[in-house]
C-alpha cells in the first residue's frame, strides 16, 4: 500500500513542484522568523512565535471553485493543532497531528488525505490530552503525554520524534528520545514553545500546596538548562493558555491575576516584570472559565514602533487589553492601572452564554496593528442557534489606544481566526441554524461576508467531521486550508481560481514595516513598478514617485493612516499603511 501511496504522491508532486517552489513561507511584514522552526507555511500553533495566526499566503477567494474533503475516524479524537512540515527532497510536505492518544503523519496526495504513519503514546484518552507539540526543522518534532499518576508510577513524558527516513514523506515515525518528567516540581507541565535558540521553554500548573508554579528551559537533547519557581496566590490559575516567545527569548504567561514576562539570557531565567490585572472580575468561573481564555499575542516589532501584548479578559463584558512590552518614551501610565497597562476596549460582539466557558476563548489574530477576534460558543459541541459575532479592532499608534474598525454580527466563527493578507480575508468555520457547518471568508477591510461555503451537517461530539471549537486553520501555498474537526482532518481545497481573482494574483505587494516611522519600504513580486502615489484618507495626494521605487521617506508626515497606490505593468493595487 505504501508503494502505491508513494507513486500517487510522486505524480502529484511532479505536477505541482514548479509552482510550489516559487512560493515563500515567510512574509516580509512577519515578525522576526525563528530559524529553528520548520520552514513551513504553518510550523507552530498560531503560525509564529508571536502567536499572530496571520500570513501573506493567499487563501480561497470569492468565486473560487472549492472542494471540501475530510479524513474521518482518526483514532484518539481531535487535535486543535495541525502543522505543515518543511519540504522533503521531492518537494512535498506532510501534515502533523497530535491528539489524546496518538501522533499522526498525513500526506495529501492531491486526491486523498492518507495516513503515512501513526504512533500511540498514551493509553488513557479520558484523563490526559497531549495536545502540545512542537515542529522544528530537519524533520524533528516533539509531543507530550501529560498523564500523571504517581501511584501507578506514571509521569508526564516529552517525546522527540523524527522519520525513519527523513527523505521520504511516507516514512515511519520513530522515537529519538524520551524525557520522563518524574522529579520535576511541580511535575504537571502545561505547555511548550520553541525559542529563537532552538530550545524548549515550558510552564507548569500552579501547586497551591507549595504556593508556586514553574517555568523552565530544555535543550534539544533533553538537558534541563534552568528552572524558575515563582510564587502564586491561592487559587491563581496559570495554566489555561499557551504563551508566545519574542526574539529576545522572553516568554509571556497570562494568569487569572497578571501578565508576566520571563526573560532568558541563555544561562538564567528571571522574572523581568509583571503587570497586575484582574482577568476574572465579574466573569464566569466554571470548569473551563479561567480568567483570560486567550493566548497572549505579540503586536509590533522593530525600533521606534509600538510593541505590545494583546489578550482578551474573562469579564462578563469582555475587553481586549493591551500591555506594553516596551514602555514608550514619556509614558506615565493610565490612572489606577499598572504602568504596563496600555489600553482596553469593550469587545462589542462578546456575550456571556454559560458559566462554564468564557465568551472569548480563541486567541486574537493580529496583522500589523489590526486585531481580529470572535465570539466563542463552547468546546464540547454547541447549539445550532448560537451567539454570533466577529470584529476587527485597531491600535492607533498615534493616540496609544484601540478603536473598533468594524463588527459583523451575522457570522459564527468558532475556531481560531486565520487572516490572509494575500486575499485580505479572515477565515474560519461555524454552525448555522440549519445545523450545518459552513466555511467563511470575511473581508478584513470592511467586515463584509465575502464568501460562504457549505461543509456539511453536524454529527455527534465524538464523530463530527466539521467540529470547530478551538482549532487552527492553516493555509498551504496553493491556497487550500486545513483544519481539524472531531476525529477528522478537513481540507477546503482551491480547485480553480475565479477568473476575477487571477489578475491580482499575478503580483503581490508587501509593505514593511507597517506601521512605519521614517521609511516605508515595499516589494512587488511578479510585476514592474511604474508609479507610486501616496494619499491621506481624505484623498489628498501626499507624494508621487517614479518607476522602480522601493522605499519612500515618511518621517515628515503626521501620525495616522494613509493609502499607497502602486501602478505596475500588470495592474494597480492600493494598500493601507500607518505612519507611527
Amino acid at each position: 500500500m505504501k508503494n502505491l501511496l508513494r507513486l500517487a504522491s510522486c505524480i502529484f508532486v511532479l505536477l505541482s513542484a514548479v509552482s510550489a517552489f516559487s512560493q515563500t513561507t515567510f512574509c516580509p511584514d512577519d515578525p522576526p522568523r525563528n530559524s529553528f522552526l520548520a520552514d513551513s507555511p504553518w510550523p507552530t500553533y498560531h503560525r509564529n512565535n508571536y502567536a499572530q495566526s496571520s500570513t501573506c499566503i493567499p487563501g480561497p477567494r470569492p468565486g473560487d471553485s472549492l472542494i471540501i474533503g475530510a479524513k474521518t475516524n482518526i483514532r484518539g479524537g481531535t487535535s486543535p493543532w495541525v502543522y505543515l512540515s518543511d519540504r522533503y527532497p521531492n518537494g512535498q510536505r506532510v501534515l502533523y497531528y497530535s491528539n489524546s492518544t496518538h501522533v499522526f503523519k498525513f500526506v495529501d496526495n492531491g486526491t486523498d488525505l492518507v495516513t503515512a504513519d501513526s504512533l500511540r503514546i498514551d493509553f488513557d484518552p479520558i484523563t490526559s490530552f497531549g495536545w502540545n507539540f512542537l515542529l522544528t526543522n530537519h524533520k524533528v518534532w516533539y509531543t507530550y503525554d501529560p498523564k500523571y499518576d504517581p501511584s501507578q508510577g506514571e509521569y508526564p513524558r516529552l517525546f522527540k520524534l523524527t522519520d525513519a527516513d527523513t527523505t521520504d514523506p511516507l516514512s515511519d515515525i520513530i522515537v529519538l528520545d524520551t524525557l520522563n518528567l518524574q522529579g520535576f516540581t511541580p511535575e504537571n507541565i502545561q505547555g511548550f514553545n520553541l525559542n529563537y535558540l532552538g530550545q524548549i521553554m515550558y510552564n507548569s500548573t500552579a501547586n497551591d500546596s507549595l504556593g508556586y508554579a514553574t517555568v523552565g528551559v530544555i535543550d534539544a537533547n533533553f538537558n534541563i538548562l534552568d528552572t524558575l519557581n515563582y510564587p502564586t496566590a491561592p487559587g491563581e490559575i496559570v495554566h489555561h493558555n499557551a504563551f508566545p516567545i519574542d526574539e529576545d527569548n522572553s516568554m509571556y504567561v497570562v494568569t487569572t491575576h497578571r501578565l508576566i514576562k520571563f526573560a532568558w539570557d541563555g544561562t538564567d531565567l528571571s522574572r523581568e516584570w509583571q503587570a497586575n490585572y484582574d482577568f476574572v472580575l465579574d466573569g464566569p468561573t466554571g470548569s473551563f472559565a479561567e480568567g483570560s481564555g486567550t493566548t497572549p499575542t505579540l503586536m509590533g516589532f522593530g525600533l521606534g514602533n509600538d510593541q505590545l501584548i494583546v489578550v482578551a479578559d474573562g469579564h462578563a463584558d469582555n475587553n481586549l487589553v493591551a500591555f506594553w512590552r516596551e514602555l514608550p518614551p514619556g509614558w506615565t501610565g493610565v490612572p489606577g492601572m499598572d504602568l504596563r497597562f496600555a489600553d482596553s476596549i469593550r469587545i462589542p460582539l462578546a456575550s456571556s452564554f454559560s458559566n462554564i466557558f468564557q465568551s472569548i476563548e480563541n486567541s486574537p489574530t493580529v496583522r500589523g496593528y489590526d486585531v481580529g477576534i470572535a465570539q466563542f460558543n463552547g468546546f464540547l459541541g454547541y447549539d445550532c442557534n448560537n451567539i454570533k459575532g466577529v470584529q476587527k479592532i485597531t491600535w492607533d499608534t498615534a493616540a496609544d489606544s484601540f478603536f473598533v474598525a468594524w463588527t459583523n454580527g451575522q457570522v459564527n466563527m468558532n475556531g481560531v481566526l486565520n487572516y490572509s493578507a494575500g486575499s485580505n480575508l479572515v477565515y474560519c468555520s461555524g454552525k448555522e441554524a440549519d445545523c450545518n457547518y459552513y466555511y467563511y471568508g470575511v473581508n478584513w477591510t470592511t467586515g463584509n461576508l465575502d464568501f460562504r461555503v457549505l461543509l456539511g451537517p453536524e454529527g455527534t461530539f465524538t464523530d463530527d467531521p466539521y467540529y470547530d471549537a478551538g482549532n487552527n486553520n492553516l493555509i498551504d501555498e496553493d491556497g487550500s486550508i486545513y483544519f481539524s474537526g472531531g476525529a477528522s482532518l478537513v481540507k477546503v481545497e482551491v480547485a480553480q481560481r475565479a477568473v476575477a481573482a487571477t489578475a491580482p494574483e499575478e503580483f503581490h505587494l508587501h509593505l514593511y514595516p507597517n506601521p512605519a516611522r521614517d521609511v516605508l519600504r515595499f516589494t512587488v513580486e511578479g510585476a514592474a513598478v511604474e508609479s507610486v502615489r501616496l494619499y491621506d484618507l481624505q484623498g489628498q495626494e501626499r507624494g508621487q514617485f517614479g518607476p522602480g521605487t522601493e522605499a519612500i521617506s515618511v518621517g515628515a508626515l503626521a501620525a495616522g493612516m494613509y493609502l499607497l497606490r502602486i501602478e505596475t505593468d500588470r495592474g494597480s493595487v492600493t494598500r493601507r499603511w500607518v505612519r507611527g
Side-chain angles (χ1 to χ4, degrees), residues 122-442:
D122 185 359
F123 289 84
D124 185 7
I126 304 301
T127 60
S128 64
F129 298 90
W131 282 348
N132 285 286
F133 70 106
L134 298 173
L135 178 59
T136 70
N137 48 21
H138 308 306
K139 313 296 187 305
V140 173
W141 55 306
Y142 300 87
T143 196
Y144 178 54
D145 174 15
K147 188 173 182 181
Y148 180 60
D149 187 355
S151 66
Q152 300 297 316
E154 294 171 333
Y155 295 88
R157 295 172 295 168
L158 184 62
F159 294 86
K160 183 178 182 179
L161 308 172
T162 191
D163 296 329
D165 179 356
T166 57
T167 67
D168 182 2
L170 291 164
S171 176
D172 292 340
I173 301 168
I174 62 171
V175 180
L176 290 174
D177 200 0
T178 304
L179 177 62
N180 189 318
L181 297 173
Q182 181 179 2
F184 273 49
T185 305
E187 288 152 327
N188 192 357
I189 303 303
Q190 150 61 17
F192 298 90
N193 205 345
L194 195 73
N195 68 21
Y196 284 75
L197 299 172
Q199 300 157 343
I200 298 168
M201 304 185 79
Y202 70 85
N203 70 320
S204 79
T205 57
N207 188 316
D208 279 343
S209 63
L210 297 175
Y212 65 81
T214 304
V215 292
V217 185
I218 304 168
D219 73 12
N221 296 316
F222 285 169
N223 297 302
I224 312 301
L225 301 180
D226 195 23
T227 61
L228 174 67
N229 298 329
Y230 64 98
T232 54
E236 183 176 8
I237 297 172
V238 304
H239 64 270
H240 188 56
N241 303 285
F243 55 86
I245 298 176
D246 67 21
E247 59 272 32
D248 294 323
N249 302 303
S250 298
M251 58 190 288
Y252 299 84
V253 174
V254 65
T255 83
T256 48
H257 295 51
R258 51 189 165 156
L259 177 73
I260 312 171
K261 177 183 179 180
F262 295 100
W264 169 243
D265 64 6
T267 303
D268 297 305
L269 274 166
S270 61
R271 186 175 59 176
E272 185 166 309
W273 55 256
Q274 68 178 37
N276 295 317
Y277 183 88
D278 186 348
F279 283 95
V280 180
L281 198 64
D282 58 348
T285 56
S287 54
F288 293 99
E290 298 173 329
S292 171
T294 69
T295 295
T297 303
L298 306 187
M299 172 188 281
F301 58 91
L303 282 174
N305 293 319
D306 288 353
Q307 297 186 31
L308 301 154
I309 310 162
V310 295
V311 63
D313 65 26
H315 298 180
D317 291 329
N318 301 93
N319 301 285
L320 185 66
V321 189
F323 299 88
W324 294 108
R325 288 172 18 236
E326 297 292 338
L327 294 172
W331 178 257
T332 57
V334 175
M337 305 301 290
D338 191 282
L339 183 64
R340 292 275 172 181
F341 176 89
D343 192 32
S344 67
I345 190 170
R346 168 83 169 91
I347 301 172
L349 301 180
S351 301
S352 294
F353 64 97
S354 167
N355 189 51
I356 299 175
F357 297 100
Q358 285 137 332
S359 310
I360 300 295
E361 178 68 32
N362 293 322
S363 300
T365 292
V366 169
R367 197 69 174 178
Y369 286 96
D370 292 327
V371 184
I373 197 162
Q375 167 75 29
F376 179 64
N377 282 282
F379 282 131
L380 308 176
Y382 60 101
D383 292 337
C384 303
N385 292 309
N386 49 67
I387 302 173
K388 297 174 173 59
V390 60
Q391 48 259 299
K392 187 176 83 170
I393 295 170
T394 299
W395 176 259
D396 186 327
T397 58
D400 290 337
S401 62
F402 285 124
F403 66 89
V404 176
W406 53 257
T407 62
N408 184 325
Q410 306 303 310
V411 181
N412 161 42
M413 304 176 88
N414 205 50
V416 178
L417 303 179
N418 176 350
Y419 170 59
S420 163
S423 48
N424 197 40
L425 295 172
V426 61
Y427 301 99
C428 201
S429 59
K431 196 189 301 182
E432 297 190 5
D434 61 2
C435 291
N436 282 308
Y437 289 99
Y438 293 83
Y439 205 81
Y440 305 109
V442 171

Side-chain angles (χ1 to χ4, degrees), residues 442-522:
V442 171
N443 190 290
W444 190 248
T445 302
T446 66
N448 295 331
L449 180 61
D450 276 11
F451 82 81
R452 166 182 175 271
V453 59
L454 174 67
L455 295 174
E458 70 172 352
T460 64
F461 171 63
T462 56
D463 184 19
D464 192 339
Y466 307 109
Y467 171 72
D468 60 6
N471 49 17
N472 72 319
N473 294 250
L474 66 87
I475 304 177
D476 200 354
E477 285 108 329
D478 68 358
S480 297
I481 290 180
Y482 300 91
F483 67 90
S484 56
S488 67
L489 178 60
V490 181
K491 182 182 182 183
V492 180
E493 178 183 354
V494 178
Q496 185 175 359
R497 288 292 190 185
V499 173
T502 56
E505 194 182 10
E506 291 176 352
F507 65 95
H508 304 283
L509 168 64
H510 304 295
L511 301 179
Y512 54 97
N514 189 8
R517 294 232 169 155
D518 298 312
V519 177
L520 176 66
R521 304 181 187 279
F522 49 89

Side-chain angles (χ1 to χ4, degrees), residues 28 503-512 520-533 546-551 564-575:
E505 194 182 10
E506 291 176 352
F507 65 95
H508 304 283
L509 168 64
H510 304 295
L511 301 179
Y512 54 97
L520 176 66
R521 304 181 187 279
F522 49 89
T523 59
V524 178
E525 298 177 6
V529 174
E530 295 181 343
S531 69
V532 179
R533 286 182 169 83
T549 302
E550 295 183 342
L564 190 74
R565 181 174 179 82
I566 298 181
E567 301 283 347
T568 78
D569 59 349
R570 293 191 176 183
S572 63
V573 61
T574 301
R575 187 71 56 81

